[in-house]
Structure formats: C-alpha cells, structure tokens
Amino acid sequence: MDRELISTSKFLSLVLRHSPEKIGLRLDDEGWVEIDELLAAANRSGRRLDRPLLERAVRENDKQRFAISSDDRRIRANQGHSLAVDLGLQPVEPPELLYHGTVAKFLDSIRTDGLVRGTRQYVHLSPDLATAHRVGQRRGQPVIIIVEAGQMWREGHPFFRSDNDVWLTDQVSTVYLR
Ligand code: HQG
C-alpha cells in the first residue's frame, strides 16, 4: 500500500471500528455505513476522500480490512471493532492451533489473566506464525503465544473467522496457552 492508501486505511479503521462520531457518523447494528454519507462526513471533517480512493483503499488493502456491500452502497470493517457491532459471523471450528502475536511486557499479565480483549470486541488470533509475528511486531520485538484452539472449541468456546481470515474469540484462559 502506498502512503495515501495507508493513511486512508488508518482513517477508515478509526471511523469504522472505533469512533464514527468523530466525524458525525453512526454505524448501523452490523457496522455498515452508507458510502455517500461517509464521503460527505469525511470531507466535512477536512479529510479528502472520494469514491475512487475509497475503493482503492478497500481493494488494495494489505489485510483486506474493509468490505463493500453487495449493492455497492455501504462499507464496514471486517474486524477489529471496539464498538459493539454484529458482524453476523457464525461459530466455526478453528484449527487445532492458533497464534497470538504480542510483546514481552504483556507476558506477566497474560500468564495471570489469559488473553483478554481489552478495548476490542474480541481477542484476535492469527492462523499462522508469520501473521502473528507481524501482529506482534507493531509493538516491538514480537513474542508468539500458541493457543490450543481446538481444545477450547471442544470444550464449548465459540470461535469466529472474519471475512479477512482473522480468528476471533471472547477470551483465552491460561490453560489453553503455550
Ligand atoms: C495484549 C491488528 C496484558 C495483546 C492486528 C495485545 C490484529 C494483554 C494487546 C488486530 C492481555 C491488545 C488486533 C493481558 C492480551 N494482559 N496484555 N491479559 N491479553 N493482551 O491491538 O491482538 O492492523 O487490541 O497481546 O493485526 O494486538 O488493526 O489487539 O498486544 O489483527 O487491522 O493487549 O489488530 O489489525 O492490542 O491486534 P490490540 P492485537 P489491524
């Protein structure tokens, strides 16, 4: 992604995951917003954004963070929300192991409390080591935690997979961490 797309992706993440009210928007219960309304609100707030740029930011997004509705009128974030939105995801059996990228300074707390979702709606888990590595790297030297997701599932913990292949669950107790 070039700089303009990265900046646009960050703006869309802020508005579509966390703080739509910052530009005077409201998401519907499923996290969608009308694209025309989003463009108008963005421009009113001083953000230059038009439909072609928005479409590039969705299409060329490195993590496919956003989705446009099938009628081309609405947009939402695929995951990462702190707002309570219903993504309509059905529980799905995860692979035996999933991965969580973090940094050393959180480990003591994670060993005590397990993985907690913090401000986000879910704990986010990666399907492979390389992805978890990239997630951890956002905060410094990455540390990877292995999650016994299959065992969790068999013991009744729901898992969801977002449209961009991020695994989501409510929390991970220490007994499932390696
Ligand atoms: C840590 C990005 C202390 C956790 C990524 C993480 C992902 C604890 C941080 C997505 C803890 C939360 C989510 C505990 C967890 N004590 N710290 N008990 N349990 N933590 O950003 O998973 O680029 O909310 O390890 O790629 O890092 O935004 O979650 O370090 O997919 O699309 O608390 O966000 O995607 O941080 O990242 P975050 P995350 P995007």
Side-chain angles (χ1 to χ4, degrees):
M1 291 203 295
D2 63 33
R3 270 179 51 202
E4 189 181 33
L5 287 193
I6 291 171
S7 165
T8 303
S9 174
K10 287 192 170 163
F11 172 76
L12 292 174
S13 289
L14 176 72
V15 168
L16 297 175
R17 289 171 168 178
H18 309 298
S19 307
E21 75 285 353
K22 280 213 166 117
I23 60 166
L25 273 185
R26 263 193 61 181
L27 311 184
D28 76 10
D29 294 345
E30 297 173 352
W32 296 104
V33 67
E34 292 281 334
I35 291 173
D36 286 346
E37 282 179 29
L38 167 63
L39 295 176
N43 285 290
R44 268 199 308 274
S45 77
R47 177 101 207 166
R48 282 196 22 232
L49 186 59
D50 58 15
R51 176 104 197 188
L53 175 57
L54 179 121
E55 285 185 1
R56 275 184 63 222
V58 173
R59 197 175 55 239
E60 296 176 32
N61 199 268
D62 56 349
K63 290 192 192 167
Q64 293 298 302
R65 291 179 177 88
F66 313 107
I68 290 179
S69 60
S70 50
D71 63 5
D72 283 337
R73 294 173 57 103
R74 297 174 301 157
I75 184 171
R76 76 175 177 185
N78 280 325
Q79 38 68 227
H81 299 83
S82 54
L83 294 169
V85 298
D86 178 5
L87 293 172
L89 301 174
Q90 297 303 312
V92 43
E93 182 171 358
E96 203 49 39
L97 299 179
L98 287 170
Y99 305 88
H100 181 80
T102 187
V103 283
K105 68 176 177 189
F106 293 147
L107 285 181
D108 281 347
S109 169
I110 291 172
R111 283 197 187 98
T112 307
D113 298 334
L115 293 174
V116 299
R117 58 196 179 182
T119 58
R120 301 209 197 229
Q121 207 179 358
Y122 296 103
V123 169
H124 288 220
L125 302 171
S126 305
D128 55 71
L129 280 166
T131 308
H133 197 270
R134 279 197 297 278
V135 172
Q137 213 161 31
R138 296 179 303 147
R139 300 203 152 77
Q141 180 67 34
V143 175
I144 309 230
I145 297 174
I146 301 176
V147 174
E148 293 174 347
Q151 191 59 29
M152 283 181 70
W153 172 261
R154 289 188 288 279
E155 292 177 13
H157 299 277
F159 279 78
F160 307 93
R161 188 172 58 203
S162 71
D163 288 346
N164 59 339
D165 208 24
V166 176
W167 284 89
L168 307 169
T169 194
D170 292 334
Q171 58 164 89
V172 182
S173 119
T174 53
V175 298
Y176 303 112
L177 300 180
R178 286 196 206 158

